Amino acid sequence: MEKRIELEKRGRHPSEIDQLILDDCRSTSIIGLTDAYVRLRNLSIINVGLTSLKGFPSLPSLVFLDISENRISNGLQTLSGCIKLKSLNLSQNKLKDIESIDPLKSLPRLRYLDLSNNEVTKEEGYKEYVSEYFSKTIKCLDGDIYLNGKYDSDSGSDLNGEDGSESEAEEEGEGDDDDDDDDDDEDDDDEDDGDDDDDDDDAMKKEMLVVMNHLTKNLIMKA
């Protein structure tokens, strides 16, 4: 992994790098990634063979993290320093129980979480746990859309903020679109604390396209 990071840097200082793609380099642990990557926003470490996140640095600017197709079973508390993390893909790992994902509650801006193809998704009460503890932030769990912490099977357009069903969000804001928009703006301000929301939203749309394409590909392969 350390050699791959050096190649990806291309002579740049760590503080200049906003994206690292380390897919398919072989390593069982995080090596060569440090706190010096203060501007890193997008990190992909797919199919590396990670068994642990020990040594994962504090990355205060990280927004997108993909560590799918590894062998991670615990240690998610090491992600607590990623205070701006919005999209986390942990699919196809070895997370077995609710306790293993409990540390993710400390991520204040997490909106898109993929834990599919982990044993934890088969645990009794899994969906209820997420609804209770992630309801203030989570919008998409394992490809399912959530409104006010509740799964909404008819929310195909919710990624764009629209909802044709009689959800709680619609009932509360029905007939007052301006108020809804103001509330949304206030929520965004609270979450982003003055950050560039337009850049994050554009990046999130691109990330969600990648996520949905990934899910579609998996469904086709299983068919």
Side-chain angles (χ1 to χ4, degrees), residues 124-178:
E124 182 178 355
Y126 165 67
K127 294 286 188 180
E128 291 76 12
Y129 171 85
V130 173
S131 296
E132 180 176 357
Y133 291 105
F134 291 79
S135 60
K136 293 183 179 179
T137 60
I138 205 72
K139 291 184 177 181
C140 182
L141 173 69
D142 305 340
D144 294 333
I145 307 304
Y146 275 70
L147 292 173
N148 295 327
K150 295 183 177 180
Y151 170 62
D152 183 35
S153 60
D154 298 321
S155 58
S157 60
D158 288 337
L159 290 176
N160 294 321
E162 300 172 358
D163 179 28
S165 63
E166 294 183 356
S167 66
E168 293 182 11
E170 183 179 10
E171 290 174 357
E172 291 176 0
E174 186 175 1
D176 195 353
D177 291 336
D178 290 336

Side-chain angles (χ1 to χ4, degrees), residues 19-207:
Q19 175 175 283
L20 280 177
I21 307 298
L22 309 177
D23 302 347
D24 300 312
C25 71
R26 307 310 298 170
S27 181
T28 58
S29 60
I30 302 295
I31 302 174
L33 193 62
T34 70
D35 294 343
Y37 292 83
V38 293
R39 295 182 60 187
L40 189 65
R41 289 171 51 86
N42 190 338
L43 176 61
S44 182
I45 318 178
I46 301 172
N47 189 33
V48 170
L50 290 176
T51 58
S52 169
L53 289 177
K54 183 179 180 180
F56 196 94
S58 176
L59 300 173
S61 298
L62 192 66
V63 177
F64 308 112
L65 175 61
D66 192 335
I67 43 179
S68 58
E69 300 179 38
N70 283 289
R71 294 181 288 158
I72 299 166
S73 60
N74 53 42
L76 299 186
Q77 66 272 12
T78 58
L79 299 178
S80 61
C82 304
I83 57 176
K84 293 185 180 180
L85 191 64
K86 292 184 179 181
S87 177
L88 175 60
N89 189 346
L90 275 161
S91 63
Q92 298 185 54
N93 272 283
K94 302 294 183 181
L95 300 166
K96 294 183 178 181
D97 50 41
I98 296 295
E99 184 179 358
S100 66
I101 65 172
D102 193 65
L104 298 181
K105 291 188 301 184
S106 68
L107 299 173
R109 301 182 185 181
L110 189 61
R111 296 180 183 177
Y112 303 93
L113 176 63
D114 192 347
L115 294 168
S116 58
N117 294 306
N118 279 278
E119 288 296 319
V120 64
T121 61
K122 300 176 183 178
E123 281 277 298
E124 182 178 355
Y126 165 67
K127 294 286 188 180
E128 291 76 12
Y129 171 85
V130 173
S131 296
E132 180 176 357
Y133 291 105
F134 291 79
S135 60
K136 293 183 179 179
T137 60
I138 205 72
K139 291 184 177 181
C140 182
L141 173 69
D142 305 340
D144 294 333
I145 307 304
Y146 275 70
L147 292 173
N148 295 327
K150 295 183 177 180
Y151 170 62
D152 183 35
S153 60
D154 298 321
S155 58
S157 60
D158 288 337
L159 290 176
N160 294 321
E162 300 172 358
D163 179 28
S165 63
E166 294 183 356
S167 66
E168 293 182 11
E170 183 179 10
E171 290 174 357
E172 291 176 0
E174 186 175 1
D176 195 353
D177 291 336
D178 290 336
D179 288 345
D180 286 343
D181 289 338
D182 290 341
D183 290 341
D184 288 341
D185 290 341
E186 290 176 3
D187 289 341
D188 287 341
D189 289 341
D190 290 340
E191 288 181 357
D192 294 326
D193 298 326
D195 292 333
D196 192 345
D197 289 336
D198 290 337
D199 288 344
D200 280 351
D201 288 342
D202 289 342
M204 188 64 69
K205 289 176 182 178
K206 292 179 182 178
E207 176 70 12

